[in-house]
Every structure is written in structure tokens, then in C-alpha cells.
Amino acid sequence: MQYLERAKLGLVKLNVNGRDVEIGDDYADGSLLWALRDGAGLCGTKFGCGVGICGSCTVHVDGRPARSCLVPVAAVADAEITTIEALAGENGELHEVLRAFIEEQVPQCAWCMNGQIMTAVAFLRATPDPDEDEIAAALDANYCRCGCYARIRRAVARAAKALRGRSDD
Ligand code: FES
Ligand code: FES
């Protein structure tokens, strides 16, 4: 109901990366993917298949990975949404998963990388000390047309180690 009241004013307010973001209500009946990309100008979230298969559009909704091409804007009006832009701090500091993907030189075309990285961040939060099979299973539903799977898994393992090192500090 709160959402509908906002929409009548011509703007929809979403909580994205810890901030209130206002988007035009022409996005209100669409998917979160386009509200983020076109409405909020957060283009780190990628459009791949548009039907929930490839994973390139993955964001976090209340901390859990979600395929934003399938998420109606109305369903997340009161949720906390996190996009890949939140993984780089204003002072240029990068999240360990981003850093690991760079250090392992993972991307080829990079189109799938948003989904791989956002899935990995949520996975490592829940599973800080994964083995190789757990990493492979966690990323199994994120497709990479360039076939960078071995480097993706190496980067996730590297990030896990780095994050564990930080928590031991
Ligand atoms: S664009 Fe959403 S899963 Fe492919
Ligand atoms: S790097 Fe090209 S689709 Fe994964």
C-alpha cells in the first residue's frame, strides 16, 4: 500500500545500496533489473537472457541473491537491495571478491561477471570456508559464455581465503 501511495506521486522509492533512490513510476510495473539500470542509472547489473536462466542480472534482496529480471519492482518496495556498485567503496577500496576476480584476471567479455561476483559474495557470507565442490555448486547456475569457469572458481577460493584472513585480524 505504501508503495502504491508513492507511485501516485510519480516516483517510486527503493532502498538501494543503503540509500533511498527515487525512480519514475513508469518503472513501477516492470522488473527490478530495468528499474536499476534505466531508472536508477546503476548499469553494473547486466541484462543477459531476461528469463531467469543466465544469472547475469543477480543482485541481493535483503542479503540474498535474486535474479532481478524476474523480480517485480512492487515486490521489493520495502526491501534492502544491493547491487555490484556497493562492492567498491567511495575511497576506491574494493570488496575482496572483486579484488580476487581482478587478481585472477577472470573476465573475458565480462558480461556474466556481475552475476558471478554477486552470487559469490552471498555464497561466501554463508560459507566462509568452502571446498572446491561447494564453490562449483554455488556458481553452477551462473552461465559464462566465454567459459571462464576455472578462473571464476579460483577467484572465489582466493576471495574466501582473503576474507577469512580479514576476520582473523
Ligand atoms: S538476465 Fe536475469 S537471469 Fe539472465
Ligand atoms: S566472461 Fe564472457 S560471459 Fe563470462
Side-chain angles (χ1 to χ4, degrees), residues 106-113 116 143-148 151-152:
V106 176
Q108 189 164 317
C109 80
W111 202 253
C112 71
M113 287 296 135
Q116 310 285 359
Y143 295 168
C144 175
R145 290 171 293 189
C146 302
C148 301
R151 294 200 298 277
I152 291 167

Side-chain angles (χ1 to χ4, degrees), residues 14-154:
L14 295 175
N15 185 288
V16 184
N17 300 334
R19 295 182 184 163
D20 285 339
V21 174
E22 290 184 331
I23 58 173
D25 68 358
D26 43 336
Y27 296 101
D29 295 327
S31 73
L32 177 59
L33 169 65
W34 296 113
L36 291 170
R37 284 185 59 83
D38 289 352
L42 294 168
C43 296
T45 303
K46 300 302 183 200
F47 169 67
C49 64
V51 291
I53 294 173
C54 71
S56 64
C57 65
T58 302
V59 299
H60 297 176
V61 175
D62 291 332
R64 287 191 290 278
R67 300 199 165 189
S68 62
C69 68
L70 296 183
V71 176
V73 168
V76 291
D78 297 310
E80 291 183 10
I81 299 154
T82 308
T83 69
I84 197 166
E85 283 83 358
L87 302 187
E90 286 174 5
N91 59 2
E93 188 185 355
L94 300 181
H95 189 287
E96 290 292 359
V97 173
L98 274 182
R99 192 190 304 273
F101 271 66
I102 293 168
E103 288 168 349
E104 291 289 342
Q105 299 190 16
V106 176
Q108 189 164 317
C109 80
W111 202 253
C112 71
M113 287 296 135
N114 168 72
Q116 310 285 359
I117 289 166
M118 293 304 284
T119 301
V121 169
F123 166 63
L124 292 178
R125 200 182 296 134
T127 313
D129 191 9
D131 62 27
E132 284 182 18
D133 289 344
E134 288 173 317
I135 292 172
L139 277 296
D140 188 51
N142 285 78
Y143 295 168
C144 175
R145 290 171 293 189
C146 302
C148 301
Y149 296 109
R151 294 200 298 277
I152 291 167
R153 291 169 192 168
R154 275 204 305 275

